C-alpha cells in the first residue's frame, strides 16, 4: 500500500532543471525542506527524478509514491508529541460576535476540525475581488543563491492582507480569532492563495521549522505558530482537497467552509502528524484564505 505525494508540475520542472545543471540531490532536498516541505516528501520527489534520469523509471509529472508506513512514521523519528486540551473549544458550534459557525467533524490526533459557515458567500466574493489584482507567483528557494525564485507555470499565486487592512478584513480577523480562541494580535496577516487547474502543494508543515535561521528570528519575535485555519472561498468542481496523511482525512473545498488544525503544545513540542498537502485541482480553480496564529502577538520582520 502506498501514499501518493502530489506536487505542482512547476516544482517538478524546477527539480529537473537543477539536476540537469549539476545541483546535488541533497541540496535540492534541503531547498525543498526550507520551503517547509516534509523531509520524507522532499526525498521522495527528488529521488524519483534522480531515478528517472538514470532510466530506472518514467519521469514523474505531478506525483510520486511513498510507502504508506513511512509517512506517519517519519513520525517515528520525530520528537514525541504530548497532546493537551485543545485550544479549540468543545461543542458542535462556535458563537462568534456576528455569526454561528458549525463544527461538522473533529479529530484528536492530529487535532483538527471541519467547520461550516465561517465566511458568507458575499464575503468570499469580496475577498477574492480584493486579492485578485495583488496576486504574485509562488516562489521556491534556489539552492545556489538561497533566494526565492518564481517556480514556473501552473503554480499557485498568493498575497497577504495587512491585519485590519480594510473594514471587511478587520471583521474577518476578529471572527477568525474567536474561532481559533486566541487574541486577534496573535494572528499573522490573512493569506490568500489561488490555485489554477493543475496546481497543488506537496506535503508540508505549517509550524516553523526551528533549524531554519529565518524561522529562528521570527520565533524570537512572535513565538511559534500554533494553529491554522484554512477557509475555502469557492466551490472546486474536482480536486483541491486538503489531505492529512497521518489522519487519513481529505477535506473537500466548499465555499465558506474551513479546516482548523493545531500542532504546538505548551512544552514547545511540534506535532508531525499535522503533515498536510493540497491535492492538485483537476477541474476549475481553488481560492483559500489562511490564518496562522502565534504563541505571542505577531511582529513582522
Amino acid at each position: 500500500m502506498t501514499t501518493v505525494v502530489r506536487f505542482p508540475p512547476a516544482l517538478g520542472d524546477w527539480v529537473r532543471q537543477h539536476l540537469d545543471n549539476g545541483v546535488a540531490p541533497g541540496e535540492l532536498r534541503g531547498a525543498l525542506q526550507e520551503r517547509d516541505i516534509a523531509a520524507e516528501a522532499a526525498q521522495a520527489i527528488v529521488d524519483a527524478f534522480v531515478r528517472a534520469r538514470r532510466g530506472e523509471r518514467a519521469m514523474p509529472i505531478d506525483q510520486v509514491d511513498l510507502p504508506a508506513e513511512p509517512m506517519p512514521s517519519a513520525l517515528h523519528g520525530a520528537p514525541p508529541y504530548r497532546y493537551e486540551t485543545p485550544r479549540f473549544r468543545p461543542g458542535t458550534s462556535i458563537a462568534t460576535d456576528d455569526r454561528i459557525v458549525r463544527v461538522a467533524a473533529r479529530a484528536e490526533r492530529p487535532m483538527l476540525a471541519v467547520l461550516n459557515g465561517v465566511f458568507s458567500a458575499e464575503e468570499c466574493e469580496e475577498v477574492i475581488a480584493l486579492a485578485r489584482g495583488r496576486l504574485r507567483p509562488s516562489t521556491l528557494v534556489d539552492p545556489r543563491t538561497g533566494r526565492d525564485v518564481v517556480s514556473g507555470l501552473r503554480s499557485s499565486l498568493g498575497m497577504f492582507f495587512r491585519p485590519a487592512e480594510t473594514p471587511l478584513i478587520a471583521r474577518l480577523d476578529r471572527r477568525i480569532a474567536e474561532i481559533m480562541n486566541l487574541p486577534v494580535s496573535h494572528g499573522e496577516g490573512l493569506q490568500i492563495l489561488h490555485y489554477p487547474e493543475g496546481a497543488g502543494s506537496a506535503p508540508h508543515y505549517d509550524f516553523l521549522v526551528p533549524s531554519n535561521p529565518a524561522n529562528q528570528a521570527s520565533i524570537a519575535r512572535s513565538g511559534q505558530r500554533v494553529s491554522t485555519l484554512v477557509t475555502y472561498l469557492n466551490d472546486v468542481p474536482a480536486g483541491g482537497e486538503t489531505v492529512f496523511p497521518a489522519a487519513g482525512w481529505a477535506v473537500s473545498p466548499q465555499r465558506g467552509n474551513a479546516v482548523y488544525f493545531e500542532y504546538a503544545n505548551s512544552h514547545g513540542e511540534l506535532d508531525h502528524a499535522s503533515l498536510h498537502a493540497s491535492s492538485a485541482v483537476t477541474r476549475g480553480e481553488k481560492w483559500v484564505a489562511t490564518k496562522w496564529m502565534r504563541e505571542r502577538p505577531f511582529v513582522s520582520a
Side-chain angles (χ1 to χ4, degrees):
M1 184 176 179
T2 59
T3 297
V4 174
V5 176
R6 294 184 174 87
F7 53 87
L11 187 149
D13 293 340
W14 182 86
V15 171
R16 187 174 62 253
Q17 289 167 8
H18 282 80
L19 287 172
D20 291 344
N21 289 334
V23 178
E27 288 186 74
L28 292 176
R29 288 193 292 268
L32 293 180
Q33 290 176 62
E34 288 291 316
R35 299 302 297 176
D36 293 333
I37 292 177
E40 58 272 23
Q43 179 167 344
I45 292 168
V46 174
D47 287 355
F49 280 94
V50 169
R51 291 177 57 198
R53 292 174 80 250
R54 292 173 180 163
E56 298 174 7
R57 54 160 294 166
M59 189 68 70
I61 298 173
D62 59 4
Q63 66 181 52
V64 297
D65 290 338
L66 190 67
E69 287 303 316
M71 181 68 87
S73 88
L75 295 175
H76 296 328
Y81 184 79
R82 284 170 279 187
Y83 287 94
E84 302 173 329
T85 301
R87 296 174 182 83
F88 192 72
R89 288 171 286 192
T92 59
S93 64
I94 299 171
T96 72
D97 183 58
D98 60 356
R99 73 194 291 115
I100 301 294
V101 173
R102 304 293 179 183
V103 180
R106 66 172 76 212
E108 293 183 355
R109 302 188 177 192
M111 192 283 128
L112 64 87
V114 179
L115 309 176
N116 293 340
V118 174
F119 290 4
S120 70
E122 293 75 18
E123 288 169 337
C124 291
E125 292 174 1
E126 288 183 57
V127 170
I128 290 173
L130 287 173
R132 191 181 295 275
R134 295 165 58 179
L135 296 173
R136 296 293 180 269
S138 298
T139 59
L140 292 169
V141 172
D142 187 320
R144 290 178 178 271
T145 65
R147 297 178 180 175
D148 281 352
V149 294
V150 174
S151 62
L153 300 174
R154 301 181 72 187
S155 67
S156 62
L157 305 170
M159 58 80 65
F160 283 89
F161 288 109
R162 298 186 302 277
E165 180 175 327
T166 71
L168 169 64
I169 298 304
R171 183 172 78 241
L172 297 178
D173 282 345
R174 289 193 299 270
R175 185 187 305 156
I176 289 170
E178 290 183 83
I179 294 169
M180 300 179 79
N181 203 21
L182 282 168
V184 174
S185 61
H186 287 223
E188 298 183 28
L190 192 66
Q191 183 196 45
I192 309 302
L193 283 177
H194 173 230
Y195 295 87
E197 189 168 302
S201 70
H204 62 280
Y205 305 109
D206 278 5
F207 56 71
L208 302 176
V209 178
S211 59
N212 182 325
N215 288 348
Q216 291 169 4
S218 183
I219 292 170
R221 289 192 303 270
S222 310
Q224 179 61 262
R225 285 180 181 167
V226 296
S227 57
T228 298
L229 183 74
V230 178
T231 304
Y232 305 108
L233 302 179
N234 71 308
D235 292 323
V236 180
E241 297 88 356
T242 305
V243 180
F244 294 85
W249 281 45
V251 181
S252 298
Q254 298 178 347
R255 185 170 66 176
N257 294 350
V259 59
Y260 167 90
F261 50 103
E262 299 180 5
Y263 35 78
N265 64 20
S266 63
H267 303 284
E269 297 165 354
L270 302 172
D271 188 4
H272 287 69
S274 67
L275 184 76
H276 60 286
S278 177
S279 295
V281 175
T282 56
R283 187 155 53 90
E285 60 180 354
K286 174 183 173 183
W287 290 83
V288 300
T290 300
K291 175 69 76 171
W292 292 296
M293 283 289 185
R294 295 295 192 100
E295 293 175 294
R296 302 191 297 273
F298 177 64
V299 179
S300 61

